[in-house]
Amino acid sequence: REAIISNMVIALFHCGKGQMRKKAGIIGTLIIIIIITGLLLMKKDHTNSETQMSQQNLNETGIHYVDGSWRYMEDGVWKSDVTGLVDCDGIWYYVENGIENWMTSLMYINDTWYYIHNGQVDTEYVGLVYYQSSWWYVKDGTIDWNYTGLCEYSKNLWYVQNGKLDWGYSGEANYEGKVYYIENGKVN
């Protein structure tokens, strides 16, 4: 994700929604970094939409780029025993053994099914997610167990019952002011 070329820094870094941004600049101007004992340390900073690297306070709790990976740190100490969701500037990231896992999947954590997309809880996605042989309706970053109705996915409309795609449903359903006929969970 980064390379140091003499005094020029080229960095790719996570900026929300799984996108990557590329910034380049002279150390101390566009991107501020700290190099300690040969390790390049950077902090995720979500203070604006461009998501820029900022100077790291080594005693700060959060996710920091250390020795080639994004690591969860508490009071400046890498927490390799942490697996689960951690808050970093209001965004929840999934870490495994203290390292951010850029996976995309549903994860059951603390009695809730979360939709993790590229390593973070995706609170903006609304739609179906495939997990362990079933399709689930996700809204606000979690499975919406209360949702029953049609859901658009891959240019088709599907029938969801209590948060799960219902392949056995055949009948009618309303969607955006229209009545549709469903056969085996799919609009015919």
Side-chain angles (χ1 to χ4, degrees):
R1 295 183 192 160
E2 95 298 329
I4 299 178
I5 304 169
S6 86
N7 277 345
M8 180 66 76
V9 175
I10 299 174
L12 292 177
F13 52 91
H14 191 237
C15 66
K17 302 303 296 151
Q19 299 173 356
M20 301 296 282
R21 297 258 193 231
K22 183 175 181 180
K23 294 275 185 179
I26 304 300
I27 295 176
T29 56
L30 183 60
I31 300 173
I32 301 170
I33 63 169
I34 298 174
I35 299 176
I36 297 176
T37 62
L39 300 179
L40 178 63
L41 304 179
M42 291 182 277
K43 173 192 163 194
K44 289 191 178 192
D45 182 7
H46 299 281
T47 56
N48 63 42
S49 62
E50 285 299 312
T51 309
Q52 299 177 5
M53 297 298 173
S54 66
Q55 186 169 357
Q56 169 161 307
N57 177 347
L58 294 179
N59 293 322
E60 196 172 287
T61 296
I63 296 178
H64 306 279
Y65 192 79
V66 180
D67 198 22
S69 60
W70 290 100
R71 297 174 186 236
Y72 177 65
M73 313 283 277
E74 285 182 5
D75 300 320
V77 177
W78 174 38
K79 301 301 283 183
S80 63
D81 60 338
V82 173
T83 294
L85 294 177
V86 297
D87 182 20
C88 180
D89 297 323
I91 297 175
W92 289 92
Y93 293 90
Y94 179 69
V95 296
E96 203 167 78
N97 301 318
I99 296 176
E100 182 180 356
N101 183 328
W102 290 59
M103 63 175 285
T104 296
S105 181
L106 289 171
M107 292 291 296
Y108 188 69
I109 302 169
N110 298 327
D111 297 325
T112 302
W113 282 98
Y114 291 95
Y115 176 51
I116 312 295
H117 182 78
N118 289 332
Q120 72 181 38
V121 175
D122 188 340
T123 58
E124 294 181 19
Y125 178 76
V126 176
L128 293 174
V129 173
Y130 185 75
Y131 181 74
Q132 292 190 350
S133 303
S134 296
W135 288 90
W136 303 92
Y137 182 77
V138 170
K139 182 179 179 184
D140 299 326
T142 63
I143 293 177
D144 185 349
W145 300 102
N146 297 315
Y147 183 76
T148 295
L150 292 177
C151 174
E152 188 173 350
Y153 182 80
S154 190
K155 298 182 183 179
N156 291 303
L157 288 173
W158 303 91
Y159 185 76
V160 173
Q161 174 83 32
N162 297 323
K164 184 177 180 182
L165 195 150
D166 186 349
W167 295 99
Y169 180 78
S170 293
E172 294 181 346
N174 290 313
Y175 182 73
E176 296 184 351
K178 295 181 182 177
V179 176
Y180 292 90
Y181 181 74
I182 296 99
E183 187 174 329
N184 298 321
K186 182 179 176 186
V187 169
N188 211 355

